[in-house]
Amino acid sequence: MITQTDKAYLEQARLEALDGLAEGGYPVGAVLVDGNQAIATGRNRSNQTGDMTAHAEIDCLRNAGAAVEREGLTLYTTMSPCEMCSGAVIRFGITRVVIGDAVSFAGDPDHLRRHGVEVEVVNDPDCMALMEG
Amino acid sequence: MITQTDKAYLEQARLEALDGLAEGGYPVGAVLVDGNQAIATGRNRSNQTGDMTAHAEIDCLRNAGAAVEREGLTLYTTMSPCEMCSGAVIRFGITRVVIGDAVSFAGDPDHLRRHGVEVEVVNDPDCMALMEG
């Protein structure tokens, strides 16, 4: 179930994506939340840095440092995570993933669910609009 | 099948791991090869940098920049890749993975194989010795 808090963090992720777009990047953003506190944000930086692993989710987890190992974290991402980012979610035991858009890129939410991750697919029109450009 | 060339690149990965150990890091190293040319190296830098995503394979793929998108690449890694690193291998279409040690950490080579990746598990005593410290 999606709460108002979820919507607020997904909007924060969307603003990260827009910041990325303004830098010439792919418009994908992410926010990592512990309880009701955002502990890290990230955006896709592949275009900006030449680092093809710098997807929004990886950038966010990187920015979180050792806090990625806390229990009960929620990762908000504007676009469904790819194989690498899904693997990172599983590796670091992220409890819950909220996906803004699984239409532009489907990813594999069921792969996450099979590994015990709670997944919410929102398909928010504002997140989907990010990829239309 | 493991060739002499494979053994040489696995040894190069092991030297990366030893460099990491000397820096106070986890002794895991990786080399990315295109044909008979190493195009990037990496090592686990989590301890050194606080970036928990800085596994050897991710560090190596990061250092390769846009070259990760070339076809026919082989990734050598001293230790079996975790979920995140396996996902990166799948995401970037790495053709072949040569694993030095799948005993200290099993990983999931069959997951890679199911995604069409050719996997060689060497279980090289020198690579296994890295994790004994």
Side-chain angles (χ1 to χ4, degrees):
Chain A
M1 199 188 72
I2 297 296
T3 65
Q4 288 302 317
T5 304
D6 288 333
K7 288 182 186 172
Y9 284 124
L10 198 56
E11 175 62 10
Q12 187 177 350
R14 195 181 73 88
L15 296 177
E16 281 290 321
L18 288 173
D19 284 347
L21 188 64
E23 293 170 350
Y26 294 109
V28 185
V31 177
L32 188 64
V33 171
D34 181 7
N36 276 327
Q37 188 177 10
I39 57 175
T41 62
R43 51 182 179 260
N44 188 303
R45 298 184 197 268
S46 295
N47 263 358
Q48 296 94 313
T49 64
D51 168 7
M52 304 309 281
T53 73
H55 289 193
E57 299 91 328
I58 297 291
D59 187 55
C60 185
L61 297 173
R62 187 179 296 168
N63 290 336
V68 296
E69 300 192 334
R70 292 186 198 166
E71 297 194 356
L73 300 181
T74 296
L75 180 68
Y76 295 83
T77 176
T78 58
M79 205 168 70
S80 191
C82 79
E83 296 90 336
M84 172 179 64
C85 297
S86 295
V89 163
I90 294 163
R91 179 64 187 165
F92 295 115
I94 306 294
T95 298
R96 186 167 176 260
V97 175
V98 178
I99 297 172
D101 172 9
V103 173
S104 308
F105 176 75
D108 192 351
D110 284 340
H111 177 66
L112 290 171
R113 291 185 182 113
R114 279 192 298 273
H115 282 83
V117 182
E118 183 185 340
V119 183
E120 303 279 0
V121 176
V122 181
N123 287 337
D124 169 67
D126 291 334
C127 286
M128 291 197 277
L130 287 167
M131 297 309 290
E132 283 166 11
Chain B
M1 200 187 72
I2 297 295
T3 67
Q4 288 302 315
T5 303
D6 288 333
K7 288 180 185 172
Y9 285 125
L10 198 55
E11 175 62 10
Q12 187 177 348
R14 195 180 71 88
L15 296 176
E16 282 289 320
L18 288 173
D19 284 348
L21 187 64
E23 292 170 352
Y26 295 108
V28 185
V31 176
L32 188 64
V33 172
D34 181 8
N36 277 325
Q37 190 178 7
I39 58 175
T41 61
R43 52 181 178 260
N44 187 303
R45 298 185 196 267
S46 295
N47 263 357
Q48 297 92 313
T49 65
D51 169 7
M52 305 308 281
T53 74
H55 289 194
E57 300 91 328
I58 297 290
D59 188 53
C60 185
L61 297 172
R62 189 178 293 170
N63 290 337
V68 295
E69 301 194 332
R70 293 186 198 166
E71 295 192 358
L73 300 181
T74 296
L75 181 67
Y76 295 82
T77 177
T78 58
M79 205 168 70
S80 192
C82 78
E83 297 91 337
M84 172 179 64
C85 297
S86 295
V89 163
I90 293 163
R91 179 63 188 166
F92 295 116
I94 307 292
T95 299
R96 186 167 175 260
V97 174
V98 178
I99 298 170
D101 172 10
V103 174
S104 307
F105 176 76
D108 193 352
D110 284 341
H111 178 67
L112 290 171
R113 291 185 181 111
R114 279 193 297 272
H115 282 83
V117 181
E118 184 185 342
V119 183
E120 302 277 3
V121 176
V122 180
N123 286 339
D124 169 67
D126 292 334
C127 286
M128 289 196 279
L130 287 167
M131 297 308 292
E132 283 165 14

